[in-house]
Amino acid sequence: MSRTRLNPNLAKIHRSYTVEEIARLYGLHRNTVRSWLNGGGLVAIDGGRPVLVQGKVLRAFLDTRRTAAKRPCPTGSLYCFKCREPRAPALGMADFIVGKAGTGNLRAHCEVCGSTMHRRTRLEAVPVVLPGIAVRVVEAAPRIAEGTAPSLKCT
Ligand SMILES: [Zn+2]
């Protein structure tokens, strides 16, 4: 599966597109579009020439591809960008950094590679998102602009 993100909504539903137009619209090679038509699941209008694809068909095709490429994080995991997989927090520990209006960021280390992972959630949802994990609630570090002590770098 390609990592390229193609926005289905770029295709206008009341238009028809040639292979070249689809390639130009999404910055793809024409052969990529042709492979979608040849068994890739994209369906053209009848068998005429030039090959035309209805905008709404193209949009539905790209929507399906995008949904299939999504990797929702299961319960008890955060997405590790280094591993490109959802991972459990190392040592069963995580921090919740309090944000605005009850939301915040979960922060933990990947159990496999050790890199920092983040997951956005609400405070009351933490036991649901990470059951059995010791989550420490921490206040966000004050922003530099809100600090009372003048910056040491200022002259
Ligand atoms: Zn990792």
Side-chain angles (χ1 to χ4, degrees):
M1 183 70 64
S2 155
R3 286 200 218 289
T4 319
R5 292 179 185 194
L6 307 174
N7 180 0
N9 298 337
L10 284 180
K12 295 187 168 40
I13 54 174
H14 295 300
R15 260 205 67 166
S16 294
Y17 293 87
T18 65
V19 169
E20 281 73 19
E21 283 168 341
I22 296 170
R24 207 176 317 127
L25 183 61
Y26 286 104
L28 303 163
H29 195 277
R30 289 184 303 276
N31 288 350
T32 305
V33 182
R34 288 194 186 110
S35 76
W36 290 349
L37 287 163
N38 294 324
L42 183 61
V43 181
I45 301 171
D46 53 50
R49 298 276 157 187
V51 173
L52 287 174
V53 177
Q54 283 183 318
K56 66 177 178 189
V57 172
L58 176 60
R59 194 184 278 202
F61 169 77
L62 293 173
D63 256 332
T64 309
R65 260 172 64 96
R66 185 156 79 169
T67 309
K70 284 204 170 161
R71 310 288 295 276
C73 272
T75 300
S77 66
L78 293 81
Y79 192 82
C80 174
F81 280 93
K82 196 168 177 191
C83 300
R84 295 179 186 277
E85 291 282 342
R87 297 284 194 207
L91 309 173
M93 294 192 311
D95 286 346
F96 180 84
I97 298 116
V98 178
K100 284 179 185 166
T103 65
N105 257 323
L106 280 168
R107 181 179 58 197
H109 293 285
C110 172
E111 62 174 352
V112 176
C113 72
S115 57
T116 309
M117 310 181 290
H118 297 274
R119 181 168 175 172
R120 201 107 186 117
T121 188
R122 286 169 297 116
L123 180 56
E124 64 265 28
V126 166
V128 181
V129 173
L130 292 180
I133 300 287
V135 177
R136 190 177 56 149
V137 177
V138 291
E139 296 295 324
R143 293 173 184 259
I144 290 170
E146 292 165 359
T148 48
S151 168
L152 298 174
K153 287 181 181 168
C154 268
T155 52

